[in-house]
Amino acid sequence: MCNARVPYAIDAVVYTGRQPGEDVQKNLGEKIVEQLCSGIRQTGRNITMDNFFTSVPLAEKLLEKNLTIVGTLRQNKADIRPVMKKSKSREVHSSEFGFSGNMTMVSYVTKKGKVVVLLSTMHDDKAVDDNSVKKKPEMIQYYNKTKGGVDTMDQMVRTYSCKWRTRRWPMVLWHNVLDVAALNA
C-alpha cells in the first residue's frame, strides 16, 4: 500500500502462495485489501485499486470502516449490468452511469468495442468533462490521477536496487525489503 502523491510504501503483505494441504482461497484480493487497510480504518481516506482487488462486496465492507474506493472492475464480474459491458453499438467516448446506495459505477467506451468499468464509493454524480474531446467522466480522471502509487514506487526501487540473482526466495524477499526501506529512508 502506497500513498498516491508521495509514492512511499506504507504497508505490505507477503504472499507465499497456497501451502500444501490448504484449500483454495476465495476472494483473496478482498482479504489482502482488508488486511492492508486495517491500520487506516475510520480515517475517511480513499483507496484506489486495480481490477484484481475491486469488487462490490469489498466496497461495502470498506464503507462500513469509513473508507472509500475507486477502482476498475473486470468484465466478468457478476455485479456489472449488461448495459455496462462492451458493445459494438455504443458510441466512442460515451458513458453509462449506474447508482446503487453509496456506490457509483461508470462504463466508458475508450474505443470501438473497448469498455472500461469503474466502481466508486467516493463519487455520486454523473460529472463528465465536456470541455475535452474524449468527454471522460470525473471518476476516470480521478482514478488515472491516483492509480500510480505502487507502480511509481516499484519503478523507483528498480532504479537503485541491491538485488542480485539468487534462487533462494528468502534472500529475494530480504533484498526487496531492503530496497523498499532504502526508498522510504
Side-chain angles (χ1 to χ4, degrees), residues 33 45-55 58-59 62-63 67-73 102-106 116-124 137-148:
V33 171
R45 294 185 182 166
N46 179 65
I47 300 164
T48 303
M49 56 185 81
D50 70 1
N51 62 21
F52 178 77
F53 301 102
T54 309
S55 69
L58 176 63
L62 292 178
L63 263 178
L67 296 170
T68 60
I69 72 161
V70 175
T72 54
L73 280 169
N102 292 333
M103 285 183 261
T104 304
M105 191 178 292
V106 65
V116 176
V117 180
L118 265 80
L119 176 70
S120 175
T121 56
M122 181 181 178
H123 300 86
D124 58 0
E138 184 181 297
M139 281 173 55
I140 291 180
Q141 291 175 339
Y142 181 83
Y143 175 79
N144 288 340
K145 189 171 74 175
T146 59
K147 71 179 178 180

Side-chain angles (χ1 to χ4, degrees), residues 19-119:
Q19 302 303 314
E22 217 178 75
D23 291 336
V24 175
Q25 294 179 347
K26 295 195 181 222
N27 303 326
L28 182 62
E30 274 185 44
K31 291 175 185 168
I32 290 171
V33 171
E34 287 179 34
Q35 189 176 355
L36 286 171
C37 295
S38 63
I40 61 169
R41 281 181 275 183
Q42 303 303 327
T43 59
R45 294 185 182 166
N46 179 65
I47 300 164
T48 303
M49 56 185 81
D50 70 1
N51 62 21
F52 178 77
F53 301 102
T54 309
S55 69
V56 171
L58 176 63
E60 292 169 344
K61 288 178 188 175
L62 292 178
L63 263 178
E64 292 171 5
K65 297 174 182 172
N66 194 24
L67 296 170
T68 60
I69 72 161
V70 175
T72 54
L73 280 169
R74 289 186 176 171
Q75 294 289 326
N76 63 355
K77 296 277 187 179
D79 301 315
I80 301 176
R81 305 279 175 173
V83 73
M84 298 275 199
K85 295 189 178 185
K86 62 181 166 187
S87 167
K88 296 197 187 297
S89 65
R90 286 190 52 198
E91 191 178 320
V92 176
H93 305 307
S94 65
S95 301
E96 290 286 337
F97 288 86
F99 301 93
S100 175
N102 292 333
M103 285 183 261
T104 304
M105 191 178 292
V106 65
S107 170
Y108 177 71
V109 180
T110 56
K111 56 185 175 184
K112 192 81 170 163
K114 174 129 171 77
V115 173
V116 176
V117 180
L118 265 80
L119 176 70

